[in-house]
Amino acid sequence: MKPRILFMGTPEFAVPALEMLLQEEYPLLGVVTQPDRKKGRKAQLTPPPVKIVAEKHHIPVFQPARLRDSEELEQICQLKPDLIVTAAYGQILPTTLLEVPPFRCINLHASLLPKYRGGAPIHWAIYHGEDKTGVTIMYMEEKLDAGDMLMQQSVPITTTTDVGDMYQKLSVLAADMLQELLPRLIKGEIEPVVQDHSIATYAPNIKREDEEIQWERTAKQIDYHIRAFCPWPGTYTYWREKRVKVWQAICLEQISTKIPGTVLGFSDEGIQIATGEGVLQLQELQVAGKKRMDVSQFLQGNHLEIGERFGLWKD
């Protein structure tokens, strides 16, 4: 007999797992997700992707702004699920809920735990130049992503991988892993593995200041940064005091002794910029208030000079 499940998740990452549970006809008692948020220039109130799927299938939806001590928490506990499945829900579950299901609570986390615990694991894995990341399914506890691991699979990070690519891959992988895990978990065939907490690293939520390109870093590190934040939240720099988003760039096999941020040359293929070590070629930009454009389009509308600098400088 299949367990009665409460699903908790919010963004697109969680959707494939929820859809898999529906396709496999697991009894879904309800979905818990974050409140609707205002999005876009018009600040239109928008439901989370998980809510859209749940309502399409007439599944009860709970959206407490803060789950702990909320009125909804008591209602959710009264559902008495056999198992709770979470995927990028966005809040740590209180003990009162963790203790409800007999098969406990499991979480689909987009990293190779114990590395990159926290809210932005895919971003920071690419940012730090990791050669792989993956998905870990683990038991939940009140500490952040610290529970015993039930299953883990890795995916390589290539020289062209950006966070959007990896986000999609890992969301599908998480659903496939969950599909494989659940029957074995219910039968008691899974032996949990304790995380080595001594080597844990963290992936905090992205802050606005994290998005600015630091030209003193190496070309390779800046390339990691751009791909780690593409397509969201994006990286930016300044050109003639205008904010410019950088959507795509590549490292060149060149050496430069110029001050970081200096324009070394440009063509329709890209703008060559000196960094703290090596040269980065910008390929796709977006000036504040304008659309994304490749370098050839940028150069058609802007007069760029060799020797000028990108970034804000006080010297």
Side-chain angles (χ1 to χ4, degrees), residues 13 16 167-177:
F13 178 84
Y167 189 92
Q168 176 63 27
K169 288 179 182 178
L170 296 188
S171 68
V172 174
L173 176 62
D176 291 343
M177 289 171 61

Side-chain angles (χ1 to χ4, degrees), residues 164-302:
D165 298 331
M166 188 56 67
Y167 189 92
Q168 176 63 27
K169 288 179 182 178
L170 296 188
S171 68
V172 174
L173 176 62
D176 291 343
M177 289 171 61
L178 182 63
Q179 183 177 20
E180 179 184 346
L181 173 75
L182 285 180
R184 297 173 59 197
L185 182 68
I186 301 307
K187 293 177 183 177
E189 298 175 352
I190 302 293
E191 188 68 31
V193 176
V194 177
Q195 293 188 45
D196 184 349
H197 304 297
S198 69
I199 61 171
T201 61
Y202 293 87
N205 291 330
I206 306 298
K207 299 177 182 178
R208 185 66 171 174
E209 55 265 32
D210 296 327
E211 300 169 24
E212 185 174 359
I213 293 171
Q214 304 298 323
W215 293 105
E216 298 89 345
R217 304 179 79 218
T218 70
K220 185 173 289 187
Q221 288 172 332
I222 298 171
D223 172 51
Y224 295 154
H225 185 189
I226 294 167
R227 290 189 289 111
F229 285 36
C230 180
W232 69 89
T235 52
Y236 70 90
T237 186
Y238 290 93
W239 175 64
R240 298 177 185 174
E241 299 187 351
K242 296 178 183 178
R243 186 188 291 256
V244 179
K245 281 200 169 187
V246 179
W247 291 106
Q248 190 171 352
I250 57 170
C251 295
L252 299 180
E253 296 295 328
Q254 295 181 16
I255 298 173
S256 173
T257 58
K258 297 292 185 179
I259 297 172
T262 301
V263 176
L264 303 174
F266 50 86
S267 68
D268 286 349
E269 294 182 357
I271 302 169
Q272 297 84 50
I273 308 288
T275 70
E277 180 183 318
V279 177
L280 191 76
Q281 178 165 278
L282 309 185
Q283 296 178 308
E284 188 175 355
L285 305 170
Q286 183 177 8
V287 179
K290 305 290 185 178
K291 295 181 179 181
R292 289 173 63 165
M293 61 186 81
D294 60 31
V295 164
S296 63
Q297 294 170 316
F298 174 83
L299 293 174
Q300 286 174 12
N302 297 281

Side-chain angles (χ1 to χ4, degrees), residues 66-140:
R66 174 178 159 84
L67 180 60
R68 190 183 301 273
D69 302 323
S70 67
E71 293 181 5
E72 292 93 337
L73 177 58
E74 184 176 347
Q75 299 172 27
I76 293 166
C77 289
Q78 288 299 318
L79 294 174
K80 296 181 179 180
D82 300 315
L83 173 71
I84 294 176
V85 176
T86 72
Y89 168 53
Q91 298 185 42
I92 295 177
L93 307 193
T95 300
T96 51
L97 182 56
L98 291 174
E99 293 177 345
V100 169
F103 289 106
R104 301 182 61 180
C105 307
I106 62 174
N107 182 41
L108 316 181
H109 184 72
S111 85
L112 300 175
L113 292 173
K115 299 183 77 171
Y116 300 108
R117 297 174 178 177
I122 306 174
H123 293 81
W124 292 115
I126 298 173
Y127 179 93
H128 288 297
E130 301 285 356
D131 61 5
K132 62 182 177 181
T133 185
V135 172
T136 304
I137 303 181
M138 82 284 194
Y139 281 129
M140 296 192 70

